[in-house]
Short mmCIF file of all heavy atoms in Angstrom, two decimals:
data_model
loop_
_atom_site.label_atom_id
_atom_site.label_comp_id
_atom_site.label_asym_id
_atom_site.label_seq_id
_atom_site.Cartn_x
_atom_site.Cartn_y
_atom_site.Cartn_z
N ASP A 1 171.01 -93.08 135.91
CA ASP A 1 170.97 -92.04 134.87
C ASP A 1 169.53 -91.99 134.40
O ASP A 1 169.09 -92.83 133.60
CB ASP A 1 171.93 -92.41 133.74
CG ASP A 1 172.02 -91.32 132.68
OD1 ASP A 1 171.08 -90.51 132.56
OD2 ASP A 1 173.03 -91.28 131.96
N ASN A 2 168.78 -91.03 134.89
CA ASN A 2 167.36 -90.97 134.57
C ASN A 2 167.11 -90.62 133.11
O ASN A 2 166.05 -90.95 132.57
CB ASN A 2 166.66 -89.99 135.50
CG ASN A 2 166.51 -90.54 136.92
OD1 ASN A 2 166.61 -91.75 137.14
ND2 ASN A 2 166.29 -89.66 137.88
N ALA A 3 168.06 -90.01 132.46
CA ALA A 3 167.91 -89.71 131.04
C ALA A 3 168.02 -90.98 130.20
O ALA A 3 167.47 -91.04 129.09
CB ALA A 3 168.95 -88.70 130.59
N LYS A 4 168.73 -91.98 130.74
CA LYS A 4 168.92 -93.25 130.01
C LYS A 4 168.08 -94.38 130.58
O LYS A 4 168.20 -95.52 130.14
CB LYS A 4 170.40 -93.65 130.04
CG LYS A 4 171.32 -92.68 129.30
CD LYS A 4 172.75 -93.18 129.31
CE LYS A 4 173.66 -92.25 128.52
NZ LYS A 4 175.07 -92.71 128.51
N ASN A 5 167.27 -94.07 131.58
CA ASN A 5 166.42 -95.09 132.22
C ASN A 5 167.25 -96.29 132.68
O ASN A 5 166.84 -97.45 132.51
CB ASN A 5 165.33 -95.57 131.25
CG ASN A 5 164.29 -94.51 130.98
OD1 ASN A 5 164.29 -93.44 131.59
ND2 ASN A 5 163.40 -94.78 130.06
N THR A 6 168.38 -96.02 133.29
CA THR A 6 169.30 -97.08 133.65
C THR A 6 169.84 -96.86 135.07
O THR A 6 170.13 -95.72 135.46
CB THR A 6 170.47 -97.14 132.66
OG1 THR A 6 169.96 -97.36 131.34
CG2 THR A 6 171.44 -98.27 132.99
N VAL A 7 169.97 -97.95 135.79
CA VAL A 7 170.62 -97.93 137.09
C VAL A 7 171.86 -98.82 137.00
O VAL A 7 171.88 -99.82 136.28
CB VAL A 7 169.67 -98.40 138.22
CG1 VAL A 7 169.20 -99.83 138.01
CG2 VAL A 7 170.29 -98.20 139.58
N TYR A 8 172.90 -98.42 137.73
CA TYR A 8 174.19 -99.10 137.67
C TYR A 8 174.60 -99.57 139.06
O TYR A 8 174.22 -98.99 140.07
CB TYR A 8 175.27 -98.16 137.14
CG TYR A 8 174.97 -97.57 135.79
CD1 TYR A 8 174.44 -96.28 135.68
CD2 TYR A 8 175.19 -98.28 134.63
CE1 TYR A 8 174.16 -95.72 134.45
CE2 TYR A 8 174.92 -97.74 133.39
CZ TYR A 8 174.39 -96.46 133.30
OH TYR A 8 174.11 -95.91 132.07
N LEU A 9 175.43 -100.61 139.07
CA LEU A 9 176.09 -101.03 140.29
C LEU A 9 177.57 -101.22 139.96
O LEU A 9 177.93 -102.17 139.26
CB LEU A 9 175.49 -102.31 140.86
CG LEU A 9 176.07 -102.74 142.21
CD1 LEU A 9 175.65 -101.74 143.30
CD2 LEU A 9 175.60 -104.15 142.58
N GLU A 10 178.39 -100.29 140.42
CA GLU A 10 179.83 -100.39 140.24
C GLU A 10 180.39 -101.20 141.40
O GLU A 10 180.19 -100.83 142.57
CB GLU A 10 180.45 -98.99 140.23
CG GLU A 10 181.93 -98.96 139.93
CD GLU A 10 182.23 -99.21 138.46
OE1 GLU A 10 181.46 -98.76 137.61
OE2 GLU A 10 183.25 -99.88 138.18
N MET A 11 181.07 -102.30 141.09
CA MET A 11 181.57 -103.21 142.11
C MET A 11 183.09 -103.27 142.03
O MET A 11 183.63 -103.67 140.99
CB MET A 11 180.97 -104.60 141.94
CG MET A 11 179.46 -104.61 141.89
SD MET A 11 178.74 -106.27 141.84
CE MET A 11 179.33 -106.82 140.26
N ASN A 12 183.75 -102.87 143.08
CA ASN A 12 185.21 -102.87 143.15
C ASN A 12 185.68 -103.78 144.28
O ASN A 12 184.91 -104.13 145.17
CB ASN A 12 185.72 -101.44 143.38
CG ASN A 12 185.36 -100.51 142.25
OD1 ASN A 12 185.51 -100.85 141.06
ND2 ASN A 12 184.89 -99.32 142.58
N SER A 13 186.96 -104.13 144.24
CA SER A 13 187.56 -104.98 145.28
C SER A 13 186.70 -106.22 145.53
O SER A 13 186.40 -106.57 146.68
CB SER A 13 187.73 -104.18 146.59
OG SER A 13 188.53 -103.04 146.38
N LEU A 14 186.31 -106.87 144.46
CA LEU A 14 185.41 -108.01 144.57
C LEU A 14 186.07 -109.16 145.31
O LEU A 14 187.28 -109.39 145.23
CB LEU A 14 184.96 -108.45 143.18
CG LEU A 14 183.87 -107.56 142.57
CD1 LEU A 14 183.79 -107.74 141.07
CD2 LEU A 14 182.52 -107.86 143.22
N LYS A 15 185.22 -109.88 146.04
CA LYS A 15 185.65 -111.01 146.85
C LYS A 15 184.90 -112.27 146.40
O LYS A 15 183.78 -112.16 145.87
CB LYS A 15 185.32 -110.75 148.33
CG LYS A 15 185.90 -109.46 148.89
CD LYS A 15 185.43 -109.24 150.31
CE LYS A 15 185.98 -107.94 150.88
NZ LYS A 15 185.48 -107.70 152.27
N PRO A 16 185.45 -113.44 146.65
CA PRO A 16 184.72 -114.67 146.27
C PRO A 16 183.32 -114.73 146.88
O PRO A 16 182.39 -115.25 146.25
CB PRO A 16 185.62 -115.78 146.82
CG PRO A 16 187.00 -115.19 146.76
CD PRO A 16 186.82 -113.74 147.10
N GLU A 17 183.15 -114.18 148.07
CA GLU A 17 181.83 -114.21 148.70
C GLU A 17 180.82 -113.27 148.04
O GLU A 17 179.63 -113.28 148.40
CB GLU A 17 181.93 -113.89 150.20
CG GLU A 17 182.70 -112.63 150.53
CD GLU A 17 184.17 -112.92 150.89
OE1 GLU A 17 184.80 -113.75 150.20
OE2 GLU A 17 184.66 -112.29 151.85
N ASP A 18 181.26 -112.48 147.07
CA ASP A 18 180.33 -111.66 146.29
C ASP A 18 179.70 -112.47 145.15
O ASP A 18 178.80 -111.96 144.46
CB ASP A 18 181.04 -110.45 145.70
CG ASP A 18 181.51 -109.46 146.75
OD1 ASP A 18 180.76 -109.19 147.70
OD2 ASP A 18 182.65 -108.96 146.62
N THR A 19 180.15 -113.69 144.95
CA THR A 19 179.60 -114.54 143.90
C THR A 19 178.11 -114.80 144.13
O THR A 19 177.71 -115.24 145.21
CB THR A 19 180.35 -115.88 143.85
OG1 THR A 19 181.71 -115.63 143.46
CG2 THR A 19 179.71 -116.83 142.85
N ALA A 20 177.31 -114.49 143.13
CA ALA A 20 175.85 -114.62 143.25
C ALA A 20 175.21 -114.22 141.92
O ALA A 20 175.87 -113.66 141.04
CB ALA A 20 175.31 -113.72 144.36
N VAL A 21 173.92 -114.47 141.82
CA VAL A 21 173.11 -113.86 140.76
C VAL A 21 172.62 -112.52 141.31
O VAL A 21 172.06 -112.46 142.40
CB VAL A 21 171.94 -114.75 140.36
CG1 VAL A 21 171.09 -114.04 139.29
CG2 VAL A 21 172.44 -116.10 139.85
N TYR A 22 172.86 -111.47 140.55
CA TYR A 22 172.46 -110.13 140.95
C TYR A 22 171.20 -109.71 140.20
O TYR A 22 171.12 -109.87 138.98
CB TYR A 22 173.60 -109.15 140.67
CG TYR A 22 174.72 -109.25 141.68
CD1 TYR A 22 175.55 -110.36 141.72
CD2 TYR A 22 174.92 -108.24 142.62
CE1 TYR A 22 176.56 -110.47 142.67
CE2 TYR A 22 175.94 -108.34 143.57
CZ TYR A 22 176.75 -109.45 143.58
OH TYR A 22 177.75 -109.55 144.53
N TYR A 23 170.25 -109.16 140.95
CA TYR A 23 168.97 -108.74 140.40
C TYR A 23 168.74 -107.26 140.66
O TYR A 23 168.94 -106.81 141.80
CB TYR A 23 167.83 -109.51 141.06
CG TYR A 23 167.87 -110.99 140.89
CD1 TYR A 23 168.56 -111.80 141.80
CD2 TYR A 23 167.18 -111.61 139.85
CE1 TYR A 23 168.58 -113.18 141.65
CE2 TYR A 23 167.20 -112.99 139.69
CZ TYR A 23 167.90 -113.76 140.59
OH TYR A 23 167.91 -115.12 140.45
N CYS A 24 168.31 -106.55 139.64
CA CYS A 24 167.84 -105.20 139.94
C CYS A 24 166.33 -105.26 140.18
O CYS A 24 165.66 -106.21 139.78
CB CYS A 24 168.19 -104.21 138.83
SG CYS A 24 167.20 -104.34 137.34
N ALA A 25 165.84 -104.25 140.87
CA ALA A 25 164.45 -104.24 141.27
C ALA A 25 163.96 -102.80 141.37
O ALA A 25 164.76 -101.88 141.57
CB ALA A 25 164.28 -104.95 142.61
N ALA A 26 162.64 -102.63 141.24
CA ALA A 26 162.03 -101.30 141.28
C ALA A 26 160.93 -101.26 142.32
O ALA A 26 160.13 -102.20 142.44
CB ALA A 26 161.46 -100.95 139.91
N ALA A 27 160.91 -100.17 143.07
CA ALA A 27 159.87 -99.92 144.06
C ALA A 27 159.20 -98.59 143.72
O ALA A 27 159.88 -97.63 143.35
CB ALA A 27 160.47 -99.86 145.46
N PRO A 28 157.88 -98.49 143.85
CA PRO A 28 157.20 -97.23 143.55
C PRO A 28 157.79 -96.07 144.36
O PRO A 28 158.20 -96.25 145.50
CB PRO A 28 155.75 -97.50 143.94
CG PRO A 28 155.62 -98.98 143.86
CD PRO A 28 156.95 -99.52 144.27
N TRP A 29 157.76 -94.87 143.80
CA TRP A 29 158.37 -93.72 144.45
C TRP A 29 157.69 -93.38 145.77
O TRP A 29 158.27 -92.72 146.63
CB TRP A 29 158.34 -92.51 143.53
CG TRP A 29 156.97 -91.94 143.29
CD1 TRP A 29 156.08 -92.32 142.34
CD2 TRP A 29 156.34 -90.91 144.05
NE1 TRP A 29 154.93 -91.59 142.46
CE2 TRP A 29 155.05 -90.71 143.50
CE3 TRP A 29 156.73 -90.13 145.15
CZ2 TRP A 29 154.17 -89.76 144.00
CZ3 TRP A 29 155.84 -89.18 145.65
CH2 TRP A 29 154.59 -89.01 145.07
N THR A 30 156.48 -93.87 145.98
CA THR A 30 155.75 -93.63 147.23
C THR A 30 156.24 -94.52 148.37
O THR A 30 155.83 -94.32 149.52
CB THR A 30 154.25 -93.88 147.01
OG1 THR A 30 154.09 -95.18 146.41
CG2 THR A 30 153.65 -92.83 146.09
#
């Protein structure tokens, strides 16, 4: 949502192997 300066990750049907620390990251638009 660029108006809110926010990125989301909707995660469904989660599995035990999805267990982790999740990090968001930014790359220049170029």
Side-chain angles (χ1 to χ4, degrees):
D1 184 337
N2 287 341
K4 295 183 178 180
N5 291 354
T6 301
V7 62
Y8 303 99
L9 185 68
E10 185 75 36
M11 306 186 294
N12 298 314
S13 302
L14 283 161
K15 304 175 181 179
E17 52 263 43
D18 294 317
T19 295
V21 178
Y22 284 70
Y23 299 89
C24 75
W29 69 273
T30 52

